[in-house]
Amino acid sequence: MPSFSGGEDEPVTREELAFMTARLVGAKTEKKVTRFVDVTAENIYSGDIEYLASLGVVDGTGGGSFNPKGYASFGMAAKMIVNVLGYGSFAENYGGYPQGYVDVLDKLGLSKGVSLSADSLLIVNDAKKLMHNALTMEINALSYTSENGQLGSVMLSDKNDSLLAEAFGVSVYDGVIAKIADNGEYVT
């Protein structure tokens, strides 16, 4: 993570959160014209913001604005992360923005080490934890159930791959590596 406008305990801006979220899925963008009147092509994060908007991950604050220098809330971070990872419809079925997204973030194990309410300002340290959790989470399959008109859900972990492993080819291990076998495998 780069150094942002503030220190570790300072709030994250909406444009900084867009940068982190785009990088979470490996997007490498360049400055560009965006659909938002307040995000010009000169903005260092314009490519990230437009990339996320093109995916439907962000939609601005209304009136064609994004408010890039405004502070991001935990609920906003939950929505961006859940959407970019492909669990947005699941969050909508859980009640939508913001609490449905916060609940899904928690169900996925992505809020580990972060205990904020949906409307709390997100600080740099907590944003880094969320991104780390997202990169190292197990990729889950989702299943919906309905009983007596109530929506239920089951998250099935049929893979032990993480986003780091699947998208970036990076392996994540918990434990201590005692040695590396002749075939290159780790022995824990």
Side-chain angles (χ1 to χ4, degrees), residues 93-105:
N93 286 328
Y94 254 84
Y97 182 77
Q99 196 58 48
Y101 287 89
V102 170
D103 289 346
V104 169
L105 194 77

Side-chain angles (χ1 to χ4, degrees), residues 9-10 13 17 35 37 42 62 67 86 92 94 100 105 108 120 122 132 141 145 150 153 156 166 172 176:
D9 294 322
E10 294 297 318
T13 64
L17 180 61
R35 63 192 73 199
V37 297
E42 290 77 37
N67 188 19
E92 286 299 318
Y94 254 84
L105 194 77
L108 291 168
S120 296
L122 185 69
H132 174 268
T145 61
Q150 296 294 318
S153 62
L156 309 170
E166 187 149 298
V172 178
V176 177

Side-chain angles (χ1 to χ4, degrees), residues 15 22-23 27-55 66 68:
E15 64 188 5
R23 292 308 182 277
K28 294 198 174 27
T29 63
E30 296 181 11
K31 295 179 190 178
K32 63 172 37 179
V33 173
T34 74
R35 63 192 73 199
F36 302 109
V37 297
D38 57 350
V39 181
T40 65
E42 290 77 37
N43 182 312
I44 191 168
Y45 302 113
S46 60
D48 302 307
I49 294 166
E50 184 58 29
Y51 170 75
L52 294 176
S54 73
L55 296 177
F66 182 75

Side-chain angles (χ1 to χ4, degrees), residues 82-127:
V82 166
N83 276 335
V84 82
L85 293 177
Y87 297 101
S89 62
F90 192 64
E92 286 299 318
N93 286 328
Y94 254 84
Y97 182 77
Q99 196 58 48
Y101 287 89
V102 170
D103 289 346
V104 169
L105 194 77
D106 187 51
K107 285 185 178 298
L108 291 168
L110 303 182
S111 58
K112 182 175 64 178
V114 178
S115 57
L116 299 170
S117 64
D119 59 345
S120 296
L121 286 181
L122 185 69
I123 63 168
V124 171
N125 228 8
D126 288 334

